[in-house]
């Protein structure tokens, strides 16, 4: 409360009890009668307190504290009879009530103490009074009014401070409950202030983003990056919520520092009344595993459909191809002397080979992958894949460039056949998409991700690179930008890499061309079927 509030409060209380200047003069005139008895009044006051355990428990400092309190009570009595009841006087009485709350003195003891002092003061006045009985009655009435005013002031201060402390306690208890809930919540919780800094960042958010609360809280604009997506769109969402719009929900991918990207479903809503300011509560649910599971289900459904289709076609196709081969071989013998017929037969044989390769690729793609892990050195596997394409490269100017650390690529437990197949598909795509001279650059290095060692492989070529559609749909089965081809090459690559617990992505190579980026865990979980070592 302000000084003006104190003054107005006291004036209204004075009017209520009928306090006048005459009362102030009569009270001041009684001090010479009370002053000689002040010590006995004070001694009686504290002796009575010590006889009551509930009151005495606030006296924790022994005789020294009682001596200090006795001096304070003497000053209180002197001010009571001073006849000057200004703002300083009112503030002192108000502080008495504050102090009673601080020391935990129950309010009833204040009422009883003032009653005891009232009785002692009256006895002191009556025992020394030399005036008329009318003047004595008026003086005692004035002292009663003043003590009632003091009692009311102290009681008001006590109740005001007690209620304030109770509210503070409830607020702090509510904050403790809130903090306990949000710190143990299985979701990201961020409180964003109008300056776009994070006023709060819970432990789950730390784990999901790789940033500590100290790195995020009170750092301008960093929260926009944590909320993911396009910064301008996130800012627009925040502005709408701060302005009073309803909750905003969106799904986005965030980059986890030192780990794999995470998909987060965010809900932004405004909360009012925190430190008299508006805040936005951002609650994020990590849906990465759900998205992966959905993709896997979709892919499994597609594979099941392809498998069913292939099972129906495989038998008849195989028989038809076999008959075509027999007929082609017979015609080749009969028409060996006809140059034109021989050329047509060669083209027919080539078409048969293409059809057989298409059926084999569909079969390999649709079949479940069961890894047979062995100790392999990655550089040996991609070299083997490159060598298998010697026939395709025979009339081409194609070069394999290797960029590796001095210690070379590590030995890992991998499925040799599957990895060679994946590398071969990647190299075949480059040979088909790039003109001469082709340069295929393979780099290998160890990285740390999610506190575990991973191997990062990049395979770059110097062709035209991926189209926007190719970047988005490159791993879809049967998607291709070539006039010929099944569109299963990169789809098989992804299946092989993910079966090893890794990840694969497409991008533009530095300086132009296409890049295939592969991440493989250096120490994957999984059973190994052999102990053979491939490569050195």
């Amino acid at each position: 409360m302000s000084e003006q509030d104190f003054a107005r409060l006291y004036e209204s209380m004075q009017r209520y009890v009928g306090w006048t200047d005459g009362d102030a003069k009569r009270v001041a005139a009684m001090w010479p009668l009370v002053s000689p008895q002040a010590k006995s009044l004070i001694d009686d006051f504290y002796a009575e307190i010590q006889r009551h355990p509930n009151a005495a428990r606030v006296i924790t400092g022994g005789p020294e504290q009682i001596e200090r309190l006795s001096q304070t009570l003497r000053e209180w009595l002197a001010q009571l009879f001073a006849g000057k009841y200004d703002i300083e006087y009112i503030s002192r009485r108000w502080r008495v009530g504050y102090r009673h709350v601080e020391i935990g003195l129950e309010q009833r003891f204040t009422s009883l103490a003032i009653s005891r002092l009232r009785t002692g003061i009256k006895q002191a006045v009556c025992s020394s009074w030399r005036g008329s009985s009318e003047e004595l009655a008026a003086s005692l009435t004035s002292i009663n009014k003043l003590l009632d005013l003091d009692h009311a002031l102290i009681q008001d201060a006590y109740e005001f401070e007690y209620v304030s402390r109770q509210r503070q306690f409830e607020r702090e208890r509510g904050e403790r409950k809130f903090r306990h809930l949000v710190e143990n919540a299985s979701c990201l919780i961020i409180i964003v202030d109008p300056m776009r800094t994070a006023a709060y960042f819970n432990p789950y958010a730390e784990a999901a983003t790789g940033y500590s609360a100290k790195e995020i809280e009170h750092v301008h604009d960093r929260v926009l990056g944590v909320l993911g997506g396009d910064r301008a769109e996130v800012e627009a969402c925040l502005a709408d919520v701060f302005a009073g719009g309803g909750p905003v929900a969106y799904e986005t991918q965030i980059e986890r520092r030192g780990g794999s990207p995470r998909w987060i479903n965010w809900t932004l809503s405004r909360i009012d009344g925190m430190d008299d300011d508006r805040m936005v509560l951002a609650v994020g649910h990590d849906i990465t595993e759900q998205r992966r599971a959905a993709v896997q289900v979709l892919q499994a459904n597609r594979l099941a459909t392809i498998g069913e289709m292939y099972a129906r076609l495989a038998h008849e196709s195989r028989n038809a191809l076999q008959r075509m081969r027999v007929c082609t071989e017979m015609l080749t013998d009969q028409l060996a002397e006809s140059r034109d017929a021989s050329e047509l037969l060669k083209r027919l044989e080539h078409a048969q080979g293409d059809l057989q390769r298409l059926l084999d690729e569909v079969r390999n793609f649709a079949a479940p992958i069961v890894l047979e892990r062995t100790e392999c050195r990655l550089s040996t596997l991609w070299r083997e894949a490159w060598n298998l394409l010697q026939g395709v490269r025979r009339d081409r100017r194609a070069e394999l460039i290797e960029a590796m650390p001095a210690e070379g690529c590590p030995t890992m437990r991998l499925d040799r056949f599957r990895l060679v197949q994946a590398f071969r598909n990647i190299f075949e795509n480059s040979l088909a998409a790039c003109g001469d001279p082709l340069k295929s650059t393979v780099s290998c290095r160890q990285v740390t991700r999610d506190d575990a060692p991973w191997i990062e492989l990049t395979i770059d070529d110097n062709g035209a690179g991926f189209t926007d559609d190719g970047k988005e749909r490159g791993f879809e089965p049967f998607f291709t930008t070539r006039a010929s081809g099944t569109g299963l090459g990169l789809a098989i690559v992804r299946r092989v890499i993910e079966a090893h617990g890794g990840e694969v992505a497409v991008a533009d190579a530095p300086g132009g061309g296409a890049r295939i980026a592969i991440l493989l865990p250096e120490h994957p979980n999984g059973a190994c079927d052999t102990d053979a070592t491939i490569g050195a």
Side-chain angles (χ1 to χ4, degrees):
M1 294 179 68
S2 65
E3 289 188 356
Q4 291 79 6
D5 292 332
F6 279 131
R8 284 193 294 269
L9 174 65
Y10 196 66
E11 287 173 3
S12 68
M13 293 167 64
Q14 285 178 322
R15 288 194 298 272
Y16 191 86
V17 299
W19 180 263
T20 64
D21 290 339
D23 290 312
K25 292 178 181 178
R26 283 191 287 273
V27 169
M30 283 189 282
W31 179 239
L33 305 178
V34 176
S35 177
Q37 304 295 325
K39 185 176 185 308
S40 62
L41 287 172
I42 293 169
D43 291 344
D44 174 74
F45 182 87
Y46 284 107
E48 188 63 25
I49 284 179
Q50 293 181 77
R51 282 194 290 270
H52 297 275
N54 286 340
R57 63 183 175 81
V58 301
I59 308 296
T60 59
E64 294 81 5
Q65 183 182 8
I66 291 178
E67 180 63 32
R68 291 194 304 273
L69 293 174
S70 297
Q71 180 60 34
T72 302
L73 182 55
R74 182 173 182 84
E75 293 172 359
W76 183 83
L77 284 170
Q79 293 161 7
L80 186 71
F81 289 93
K84 186 178 181 182
Y85 307 107
D86 55 9
I87 190 65
E88 183 179 354
Y89 175 88
I90 300 169
S91 298
R92 286 177 180 271
R93 265 44 184 176
W94 191 269
R95 284 197 295 271
V96 172
Y98 273 15
R99 181 58 181 158
H100 288 176
V101 176
E102 287 180 344
I103 64 177
L105 180 65
E106 297 175 9
Q107 182 67 351
R108 67 176 183 271
F109 289 110
T110 300
S111 301
L112 294 173
I114 289 180
S115 176
R116 193 172 187 85
L117 283 171
R118 187 194 306 267
T119 300
I121 291 170
K122 286 182 177 180
Q123 290 175 348
V125 170
C126 289
S127 64
S128 303
W129 187 259
R130 294 294 180 266
S132 67
S133 59
E134 292 80 4
E135 291 175 346
L136 174 60
S139 296
L140 292 177
T141 299
S142 296
I143 194 64
N144 279 333
K145 290 180 183 179
L146 185 57
L147 286 172
D148 288 341
L149 287 169
D150 265 42
H151 186 197
L153 267 178
I154 294 171
Q155 192 168 26
D156 267 5
Y158 184 95
E159 291 175 357
F160 182 86
E161 179 65 9
Y162 182 80
V163 170
S164 297
R165 292 188 178 222
Q166 282 295 106
R167 288 176 177 171
Q168 177 68 18
F169 173 76
E170 291 297 329
R171 184 163 54 249
E172 290 176 355
R173 185 170 65 176
E175 290 175 357
R176 287 195 299 271
K177 286 182 177 180
F178 172 78
R179 185 170 291 273
H180 175 76
L181 288 173
V182 299
E183 288 187 353
N184 291 279
S186 297
C187 59
L188 297 84
I189 297 179
I190 306 172
I191 297 177
V192 185
D193 63 25
M195 297 302 295
R196 307 307 190 258
T197 64
Y200 178 74
F201 199 73
N202 79 329
Y204 192 94
E206 291 181 315
T209 63
Y211 288 97
S212 68
K214 288 183 179 179
E215 293 176 294
I216 295 294
E217 289 179 355
H218 311 302
V219 179
H220 184 65
D221 277 351
R222 184 168 287 179
V223 69
L224 296 179
V226 172
L227 291 175
D230 182 83
R231 286 191 171 224
E233 293 180 1
V234 173
E235 171 59 37
C237 290
L238 285 171
D240 182 58
V241 176
F242 271 116
V248 174
Y250 63 93
E251 186 176 297
T252 188
Q253 189 178 50
I254 65 172
E255 294 294 330
R256 183 186 185 279
R257 185 171 68 173
S260 55
R262 312 297 297 175
W263 281 96
I264 307 296
N265 192 332
W266 287 108
T267 300
L268 311 181
S269 54
R270 197 175 86 171
I271 50 178
D272 298 317
M274 288 190 70
D275 299 328
D276 298 324
D277 208 346
R278 294 169 298 163
M279 299 281 186
V280 166
L281 176 66
V283 179
H285 295 277
D286 191 331
I287 58 171
T288 306
E289 298 307 321
Q290 293 92 313
R291 285 183 63 93
R292 288 176 179 170
V295 170
Q296 289 172 355
V297 169
L298 179 61
Q299 186 176 4
N301 290 337
R302 288 178 176 175
L303 292 177
T305 302
I306 295 171
E308 291 176 7
M309 177 186 68
Y310 180 81
R312 294 175 182 178
L313 296 176
H315 180 69
E316 293 301 325
S317 299
R318 191 180 301 111
N319 290 341
L321 279 172
Q322 187 62 34
R323 291 195 300 270
M324 290 171 64
R325 285 199 189 94
V326 171
C327 293
T328 302
E329 290 172 359
M330 293 173 65
L331 285 172
T332 300
D333 292 339
Q334 293 178 17
L335 302 174
E337 296 180 359
S338 174
R339 184 173 180 180
D340 291 340
S342 296
E343 183 63 29
L344 289 172
L345 288 171
K346 286 181 181 179
R347 291 168 64 183
L348 179 59
E349 289 177 347
H350 184 73
Q352 291 171 3
D354 288 345
L355 182 56
Q356 184 64 58
R357 186 162 53 254
L358 171 60
L359 290 171
D360 290 342
E361 285 190 8
V362 173
R363 180 189 62 194
N364 291 335
F365 180 73
I369 292 181
V370 180
L371 298 181
E372 296 183 5
R373 295 181 185 267
T374 58
E375 290 287 341
C376 305
R377 196 178 296 276
L378 277 170
S379 55
T380 300
L381 303 187
W382 73 62
R383 289 168 189 164
E384 181 178 343
W386 182 259
N387 290 333
L388 288 174
L389 296 171
Q390 282 183 348
V392 181
R393 295 186 286 108
R394 182 175 295 114
D395 299 324
R396 299 285 304 273
R397 286 183 295 155
E399 179 184 6
L400 178 65
I401 302 171
E402 299 177 331
M404 294 186 292
E407 64 273 15
C409 282
T411 297
M412 303 165 61
R413 300 196 75 82
L414 305 166
D415 186 312
R416 183 198 65 79
F417 173 79
R418 298 289 185 181
L419 261 298
V420 170
Q421 179 188 28
F423 286 132
R424 176 173 177 165
N425 288 354
I426 295 171
F427 292 142
E428 277 185 328
N429 280 356
S430 293
L431 286 164
C434 301
D436 290 343
L438 165 67
K439 292 185 179 181
S440 187
T441 303
V442 184
S443 65
C444 171
R445 68 188 183 109
Q446 186 185 68
V447 296
T448 299
R449 196 174 190 187
D450 296 332
D451 300 323
W454 289 63
I455 300 301
E456 180 185 76
L457 287 170
T458 57
I459 303 174
D460 299 342
D461 64 34
N462 58 339
F466 288 102
T467 63
D468 291 341
D469 199 27
K471 290 176 184 176
E472 184 176 347
R473 302 179 56 198
F475 294 107
E476 287 185 11
F478 306 111
F479 172 79
T480 181
T481 57
R482 292 153 51 188
S484 62
T486 62
L488 290 173
L490 287 182
I492 292 173
V493 170
R494 183 172 70 174
R495 286 197 70 207
V496 170
I497 297 303
E498 289 181 350
H500 284 81
E503 299 174 12
V504 60
V506 299
D508 293 326
R515 163 169 287 186
I516 305 295
I518 297 172
L519 274 173
L520 288 169
E522 188 169 347
H523 305 295
N525 295 323
C528 299
D529 298 321
T530 69
D531 293 324
T533 300
I534 307 299

